[in-house]
Short mmCIF file of all heavy atoms in Angstrom, two decimals:
data_model
loop_
_atom_site.label_atom_id
_atom_site.label_comp_id
_atom_site.label_asym_id
_atom_site.label_seq_id
_atom_site.Cartn_x
_atom_site.Cartn_y
_atom_site.Cartn_z
N LEU A 86 0.83 -1.20 0.00
CA LEU A 86 0.00 0.00 0.00
C LEU A 86 0.86 1.26 0.00
O LEU A 86 0.59 2.21 -0.74
CB LEU A 86 -0.92 -0.01 1.21
CG LEU A 86 -1.81 1.22 1.39
CD1 LEU A 86 -2.77 1.37 0.21
CD2 LEU A 86 -2.60 1.14 2.70
N LEU A 87 1.92 1.28 0.82
CA LEU A 87 2.80 2.45 0.86
C LEU A 87 3.50 2.66 -0.48
O LEU A 87 3.71 3.81 -0.90
CB LEU A 87 3.84 2.29 1.97
CG LEU A 87 3.32 2.23 3.41
CD1 LEU A 87 4.46 2.29 4.40
CD2 LEU A 87 2.33 3.35 3.69
N ARG A 88 3.87 1.58 -1.12
CA ARG A 88 4.48 1.72 -2.44
C ARG A 88 3.51 2.37 -3.43
O ARG A 88 3.90 3.24 -4.22
CB ARG A 88 4.92 0.35 -2.96
CG ARG A 88 5.54 0.38 -4.33
CD ARG A 88 6.15 -0.95 -4.71
NE ARG A 88 6.86 -0.86 -5.99
CZ ARG A 88 7.68 -1.80 -6.45
NH1 ARG A 88 7.89 -2.88 -5.75
NH2 ARG A 88 8.27 -1.63 -7.62
N ALA A 89 2.24 1.96 -3.38
CA ALA A 89 1.25 2.56 -4.25
C ALA A 89 1.06 4.04 -3.93
O ALA A 89 0.97 4.88 -4.84
CB ALA A 89 -0.08 1.81 -4.12
N VAL A 90 1.01 4.38 -2.64
CA VAL A 90 0.85 5.78 -2.24
C VAL A 90 2.01 6.62 -2.73
O VAL A 90 1.83 7.75 -3.21
CB VAL A 90 0.71 5.88 -0.71
CG1 VAL A 90 0.78 7.34 -0.25
CG2 VAL A 90 -0.59 5.25 -0.24
N ALA A 91 3.24 6.09 -2.61
CA ALA A 91 4.42 6.83 -3.01
C ALA A 91 4.44 7.16 -4.50
O ALA A 91 5.12 8.09 -4.93
CB ALA A 91 5.68 6.07 -2.63
N HIS A 92 3.71 6.37 -5.30
CA HIS A 92 3.70 6.60 -6.75
C HIS A 92 2.41 7.26 -7.24
O HIS A 92 2.23 7.43 -8.45
CB HIS A 92 3.90 5.28 -7.48
CG HIS A 92 5.31 4.76 -7.41
ND1 HIS A 92 5.77 3.97 -6.36
CD2 HIS A 92 6.39 4.93 -8.24
CE1 HIS A 92 7.03 3.67 -6.56
NE2 HIS A 92 7.44 4.24 -7.70
N LEU A 93 1.52 7.63 -6.32
CA LEU A 93 0.33 8.36 -6.73
C LEU A 93 0.71 9.78 -7.19
O LEU A 93 1.66 10.37 -6.65
CB LEU A 93 -0.66 8.47 -5.57
CG LEU A 93 -1.37 7.19 -5.11
CD1 LEU A 93 -2.21 7.47 -3.87
CD2 LEU A 93 -2.21 6.60 -6.22
N PRO A 94 -0.01 10.33 -8.15
CA PRO A 94 0.29 11.70 -8.59
C PRO A 94 0.24 12.71 -7.44
O PRO A 94 1.00 13.68 -7.44
CB PRO A 94 -0.79 11.98 -9.64
CG PRO A 94 -1.21 10.63 -10.12
CD PRO A 94 -1.09 9.72 -8.95
N ARG A 95 -0.66 12.50 -6.47
CA ARG A 95 -0.78 13.41 -5.34
C ARG A 95 -0.55 12.67 -4.03
O ARG A 95 -1.13 12.99 -3.01
CB ARG A 95 -2.15 14.07 -5.33
CG ARG A 95 -2.48 14.86 -6.59
CD ARG A 95 -3.73 15.68 -6.40
NE ARG A 95 -3.56 16.70 -5.38
CZ ARG A 95 -4.57 17.37 -4.82
NH1 ARG A 95 -5.82 17.09 -5.16
NH2 ARG A 95 -4.33 18.28 -3.91
N GLY A 96 0.34 11.70 -4.06
CA GLY A 96 0.61 10.91 -2.87
C GLY A 96 2.02 11.09 -2.37
O GLY A 96 2.92 11.50 -3.11
N MET A 97 2.22 10.79 -1.10
CA MET A 97 3.56 10.81 -0.53
C MET A 97 3.57 9.94 0.72
O MET A 97 2.56 9.74 1.37
CB MET A 97 4.02 12.23 -0.21
CG MET A 97 3.34 12.87 0.98
SD MET A 97 3.98 14.51 1.36
CE MET A 97 3.12 15.48 0.12
N VAL A 98 4.75 9.42 1.03
CA VAL A 98 4.99 8.64 2.23
C VAL A 98 5.98 9.41 3.08
O VAL A 98 7.02 9.88 2.58
CB VAL A 98 5.54 7.25 1.89
CG1 VAL A 98 5.92 6.49 3.17
CG2 VAL A 98 4.52 6.45 1.09
N VAL A 99 5.66 9.58 4.37
CA VAL A 99 6.54 10.30 5.29
C VAL A 99 6.95 9.34 6.39
O VAL A 99 6.11 8.88 7.19
CB VAL A 99 5.83 11.54 5.89
CG1 VAL A 99 6.82 12.32 6.76
CG2 VAL A 99 5.28 12.43 4.80
N LEU A 100 8.24 9.03 6.44
CA LEU A 100 8.78 8.08 7.42
C LEU A 100 9.39 8.83 8.60
O LEU A 100 9.90 9.93 8.45
CB LEU A 100 9.84 7.20 6.76
CG LEU A 100 9.41 6.37 5.56
CD1 LEU A 100 10.60 5.69 4.94
CD2 LEU A 100 8.34 5.36 5.96
N PRO A 101 9.38 8.21 9.77
CA PRO A 101 10.03 8.84 10.92
C PRO A 101 11.48 8.37 11.10
O PRO A 101 11.78 7.18 11.01
CB PRO A 101 9.16 8.36 12.10
CG PRO A 101 8.71 6.99 11.67
CD PRO A 101 8.59 7.03 10.16
N ASP A 102 12.37 9.32 11.28
CA ASP A 102 13.71 9.04 11.81
C ASP A 102 14.60 8.16 10.93
O ASP A 102 15.44 7.42 11.45
CB ASP A 102 13.63 8.38 13.19
CG ASP A 102 12.72 9.14 14.15
OD1 ASP A 102 12.45 10.32 13.87
OD2 ASP A 102 12.28 8.56 15.15
N LEU A 103 14.45 8.21 9.62
CA LEU A 103 15.40 7.49 8.79
C LEU A 103 16.76 8.16 8.89
O LEU A 103 16.89 9.36 8.62
CB LEU A 103 14.94 7.46 7.32
CG LEU A 103 15.89 6.76 6.35
CD1 LEU A 103 15.97 5.27 6.65
CD2 LEU A 103 15.45 6.99 4.91
N ASP A 104 17.77 7.42 9.30
CA ASP A 104 19.10 7.99 9.52
C ASP A 104 19.84 8.09 8.19
O ASP A 104 20.36 7.11 7.66
CB ASP A 104 19.90 7.10 10.49
CG ASP A 104 21.18 7.78 10.96
OD1 ASP A 104 21.59 8.78 10.34
OD2 ASP A 104 21.77 7.31 11.94
N GLN A 105 19.87 9.30 7.65
CA GLN A 105 20.55 9.51 6.38
C GLN A 105 22.01 9.89 6.53
O GLN A 105 22.70 10.18 5.55
CB GLN A 105 19.80 10.60 5.59
CG GLN A 105 18.38 10.17 5.22
CD GLN A 105 17.66 11.20 4.38
OE1 GLN A 105 17.60 12.37 4.75
NE2 GLN A 105 17.11 10.78 3.26
N HIS A 106 22.48 9.91 7.80
CA HIS A 106 23.89 10.20 8.05
C HIS A 106 24.74 8.93 8.07
O HIS A 106 25.96 9.02 8.11
CB HIS A 106 24.04 10.95 9.37
CG HIS A 106 23.35 12.29 9.38
ND1 HIS A 106 23.79 13.35 8.65
CD2 HIS A 106 22.24 12.70 10.02
CE1 HIS A 106 22.98 14.39 8.84
NE2 HIS A 106 22.03 14.02 9.67
N LEU A 107 24.09 7.77 8.06
CA LEU A 107 24.86 6.53 7.98
C LEU A 107 25.56 6.44 6.63
O LEU A 107 24.95 6.75 5.59
CB LEU A 107 23.94 5.32 8.15
CG LEU A 107 23.33 5.06 9.53
CD1 LEU A 107 22.40 3.86 9.45
CD2 LEU A 107 24.41 4.81 10.56
N SER A 108 26.81 6.02 6.65
CA SER A 108 27.50 5.81 5.38
C SER A 108 26.92 4.58 4.70
O SER A 108 26.19 3.79 5.31
CB SER A 108 29.00 5.59 5.63
OG SER A 108 29.21 4.37 6.33
N GLU A 109 27.23 4.40 3.43
CA GLU A 109 26.74 3.24 2.71
C GLU A 109 27.25 1.95 3.34
O GLU A 109 26.52 0.95 3.41
CB GLU A 109 27.15 3.31 1.23
CG GLU A 109 26.42 2.35 0.33
CD GLU A 109 24.91 2.58 0.30
OE1 GLU A 109 24.48 3.73 0.50
OE2 GLU A 109 24.16 1.60 0.08
N ALA A 110 28.47 1.97 3.83
CA ALA A 110 29.02 0.78 4.48
C ALA A 110 28.27 0.46 5.77
O ALA A 110 28.00 -0.71 6.07
CB ALA A 110 30.51 0.98 4.77
N GLN A 111 27.94 1.49 6.53
CA GLN A 111 27.18 1.27 7.76
C GLN A 111 25.76 0.77 7.46
O GLN A 111 25.23 -0.08 8.15
CB GLN A 111 27.12 2.58 8.56
CG GLN A 111 28.46 3.00 9.15
CD GLN A 111 28.40 4.39 9.75
OE1 GLN A 111 27.72 5.27 9.21
NE2 GLN A 111 29.10 4.59 10.85
N TRP A 112 25.16 1.33 6.41
CA TRP A 112 23.82 0.90 6.01
C TRP A 112 23.83 -0.56 5.60
O TRP A 112 22.94 -1.34 5.98
CB TRP A 112 23.33 1.79 4.88
CG TRP A 112 21.95 1.51 4.38
CD1 TRP A 112 21.62 0.93 3.19
CD2 TRP A 112 20.70 1.83 5.02
NE1 TRP A 112 20.24 0.86 3.06
CE2 TRP A 112 19.65 1.40 4.17
CE3 TRP A 112 20.37 2.42 6.24
CZ2 TRP A 112 18.32 1.56 4.49
CZ3 TRP A 112 19.03 2.57 6.55
CH2 TRP A 112 18.02 2.15 5.71
N GLU A 113 24.84 -0.97 4.82
CA GLU A 113 24.93 -2.37 4.38
C GLU A 113 25.26 -3.29 5.55
O GLU A 113 24.87 -4.47 5.54
CB GLU A 113 25.98 -2.50 3.28
CG GLU A 113 25.60 -1.83 1.98
CD GLU A 113 24.28 -2.35 1.42
OE1 GLU A 113 24.06 -3.58 1.51
OE2 GLU A 113 23.48 -1.54 0.91
N ALA A 114 25.97 -2.78 6.57
CA ALA A 114 26.33 -3.61 7.71
C ALA A 114 25.12 -4.02 8.54
O ALA A 114 25.21 -4.95 9.36
CB ALA A 114 27.34 -2.87 8.61
N ILE A 115 23.98 -3.34 8.36
CA ILE A 115 22.76 -3.74 9.05
C ILE A 115 22.33 -5.13 8.58
O ILE A 115 21.63 -5.84 9.30
CB ILE A 115 21.64 -2.71 8.79
CG1 ILE A 115 22.04 -1.35 9.38
CG2 ILE A 115 20.31 -3.16 9.39
CD1 ILE A 115 21.06 -0.24 9.08
N GLY A 116 22.82 -5.51 7.41
CA GLY A 116 22.57 -6.86 6.91
C GLY A 116 21.42 -6.92 5.93
O GLY A 116 20.66 -5.97 5.76
#
């Protein structure tokens, strides 16, 4: 459902607290 909302012409998904300061290596280390 969220994927569909994100692609609606007037839709958006707002997530809480996604850490965008993690490096790509740290993000991949989450597994």
